[in-house]
Amino acid sequence: MTSIFSAFGLSASAGLNAYIPLLVVSLLAKFTNLLQLSEPWDALTSWWTIGVLVLLGTIEFFADKIPAVDHVNDVIQTIFRPTAGAILFAASTNAVTNMNPVLSLILGLVTAGSVHAVKSLAIRPAITATTGGLGDAPVSLLEDFVAAAVSILAIIIPVVVGCVLIIITSLIVMQIYSKGKKKREAA
């Protein structure tokens, strides 16, 4: 069960930043016993993969701090963040569960894609509009920190990440329900 929490935590953090959770998984699998990746996911531990992740992570780190460029980056990342989430979900559940690989890829894709959509379509545009772009860099740094922290916690203490994800999902569902109820009452 904890591998499912890990999978959701890793794929959710990929919705914020595709490369940080992939790099965390790569490095922890390569240098510790905290994570064992089965084939074909063990390719994440190759030096080539780690080097490419560092390069792409560095590019995204700087692109995401510049107003207007960060929005272009979010459009580009619409492909990569959900894909990273699918890879992370499948890689983290493959070794421990008998979950169908297609199902794990879909769950990771939907999880990371949902986080990415909320970030890039609602939160970041609102921050840019309300701060004139001055809030983009600090919020981006916060997102990077959260992506790293959630990725590490998802591997070390997956139950905590699972509980947090359940609470956040519940709050979102209650918010959507209450808005729908208010619209129905107003109509």
Side-chain angles (χ1 to χ4, degrees), residues 11-172:
S11 59
S13 64
L16 294 174
N17 184 309
Y19 309 110
I20 289 174
L22 283 169
L23 188 59
V24 166
V25 165
S26 296
L27 294 173
L28 288 176
K30 184 150 188 91
F31 296 112
T32 73
N33 292 326
L34 293 172
L35 187 62
Q36 302 296 320
L37 299 176
S38 302
E39 285 188 10
W41 312 114
D42 61 343
L44 289 170
T45 62
S46 102
W47 284 113
W48 284 104
T49 303
I50 292 169
V52 168
L53 290 173
V54 168
L55 175 66
L56 292 173
T58 302
I59 292 168
E60 182 174 0
F61 178 83
F62 289 107
D64 209 33
K65 309 300 182 270
I66 303 167
V69 174
D70 65 336
H71 297 298
V72 172
N73 181 53
D74 280 340
V75 170
I76 294 167
Q77 294 301 323
T78 299
I79 295 167
F80 297 107
R81 289 178 184 149
T83 302
I87 291 168
L88 289 161
F89 200 103
S92 60
T93 58
N94 187 41
V96 181
T97 69
N98 292 326
M99 182 180 287
N100 183 306
V102 174
L103 176 61
S104 63
L105 289 168
I106 291 169
L107 287 171
L109 185 89
V110 169
T111 302
S114 299
V115 172
H116 171 69
V118 170
K119 170 194 169 177
S120 62
L121 298 175
I123 295 172
R124 289 303 282 285
I127 290 168
T128 300
T130 57
T131 66
L134 295 175
D136 290 357
V139 169
S140 178
L141 282 171
L142 179 63
E143 291 167 354
D144 293 343
F145 173 78
V146 169
V150 169
S151 297
I152 293 167
L153 286 174
I155 294 167
I156 296 173
I157 315 171
V159 173
V160 171
V161 172
C163 292
V164 169
L165 291 174
I166 290 169
I167 291 168
I168 290 171
T169 303
S170 299
L171 291 172
I172 291 170

